[in-house]
Amino acid sequence: QVQLQQWGAGLLRPSETLSLTCAVYGGSFNGYYYSWIRQPPGKGLEWIGEINHSGSTTYNPSLKSRVTMSADTSKNQFSLKLNSVTAADTAVYYCARGQILHSVWGQGTLVTVSS
Amino acid sequence: DIVLTQSPDSLTLSLGERATISCKSSQSLLYSINNKNYLAWYQQRPGQPPRLLIYWASTRESGVPDRFSGSGSGTDFTLTINTLQAEDVAVYSCQQYFITPRTFGQGTKVEIK
């Protein structure tokens, strides 16, 4: 059964770079798209973007100028970087498998941006 | 961006009752070439990641109990939970995958009286 495990720093200062990684266990890494989705406290889900195993990406235009996603097929991992964070970026960040439908999710990482 | 508006924001019902959640899209999610509606429903229990329940507006994901059903087409969609169970306490969100950026509704919280 495919599982996603994610990790990264949970507390950032304003203007720092958010960095999260998600590893795929128990299934093929290639042939799938992977997405990052976030959820601010008490709010709805926001799609950040997606990447496939070969590195093809699509980002949410609202975040595109600050987002970079990458994939490492040798480690079955993909990563998210979001630069110049502000308090508005405080959220639980999820990785998920799938381009249009997300049937497997990571456990979520709470990232808090505070001075 | 496509805006999805859910109603109500919250719902409190008794065990065994039926829950009905609406999701209205700012534009049609029906793709005429394949006659499919690009809408999914997710369940998010407290402290857990979302779980895919329904896709193509009415197809249940494997393992999802048949008391969950989805309906609708175009811009108006409904998630119905028949015979509400205690484990159905969660936030339910619709998501469109018709175009990018993929967007979600604001969520509907379902609670038990």
Side-chain angles (χ1 to χ4, degrees):
Chain A
Q1 184 176 350
V2 176
Q3 293 185 327
L4 303 183
Q5 185 171 349
Q6 59 182 101
W7 63 90
L11 179 61
L12 296 172
R13 305 289 188 201
S15 80
E16 292 184 333
T17 296
L18 178 156
S19 181
L20 297 174
T21 299
C22 186
V24 179
Y25 297 105
S28 174
F29 184 76
N30 293 349
Y32 290 95
Y33 272 81
Y34 299 91
S35 301
W36 289 96
I37 295 161
R38 70 181 182 178
Q39 186 171 35
K43 296 188 178 181
L45 297 159
E46 180 181 26
W47 178 79
I48 299 170
E50 64 196 25
I51 185 170
N52 70 1
H53 68 276
S54 61
S56 176
T57 56
T58 302
Y59 301 141
N60 191 322
S62 68
L63 298 168
K64 188 174 183 178
S65 63
R66 299 193 291 130
V67 170
T68 303
M69 294 182 186
S70 59
D72 186 340
T73 56
S74 68
K75 295 181 179 179
N76 284 6
Q77 295 175 0
F78 58 103
S79 298
L80 167 71
K81 290 190 186 298
L82 179 68
N83 60 35
S84 305
V85 297
T86 70
D89 295 312
T90 293
V92 175
Y93 287 75
Y94 293 101
C95 58
R97 190 176 78 168
Q99 183 182 25
I100 58 173
L101 296 172
H102 312 298
S103 56
V104 185
W105 293 68
Q107 76 276 20
T109 301
L110 174 61
V111 177
T112 302
V113 181
S114 175
S115 56
Chain B
D1 297 5
I2 293 177
V3 177
L4 299 179
T5 303
Q6 293 182 228
S7 61
D9 288 332
S10 65
L11 204 50
T12 304
L13 297 168
S14 299
L15 291 173
E17 288 193 303
R18 175 183 299 164
T20 302
I21 301 169
S22 169
C23 176
K24 294 186 183 297
S25 175
S26 61
Q27 67 183 75
S28 177
L29 304 180
L30 176 63
Y31 187 41
S32 57
I33 300 298
N34 59 12
N35 201 37
K36 286 183 178 291
N37 286 282
Y38 284 58
L39 184 106
W41 287 96
Y42 291 84
Q43 174 194 64
Q44 190 172 19
R45 291 174 173 147
Q48 295 190 14
R51 171 196 181 194
L52 177 64
L53 292 179
I54 303 278
Y55 56 95
W56 300 129
S58 62
T59 301
R60 261 190 310 275
E61 172 74 334
S62 175
V64 173
D66 59 8
R67 64 179 182 274
F68 291 92
S69 63
S71 62
S73 183
T75 60
D76 293 327
F77 300 91
T78 301
L79 174 69
T80 302
I81 311 172
N82 285 308
T83 319
L84 196 65
Q85 304 293 305
E87 62 263 32
D88 300 334
V89 168
V91 174
Y92 294 85
S93 300
C94 54
Q95 178 224 343
Q96 65 81 17
Y97 46 98
F98 191 75
I99 58 169
T100 58
R102 321 218 188 272
T103 51
F104 294 82
Q106 81 276 17
T108 295
K109 187 174 186 179
V110 174
E111 298 176 299
I112 303 292
K113 280 181 189 173

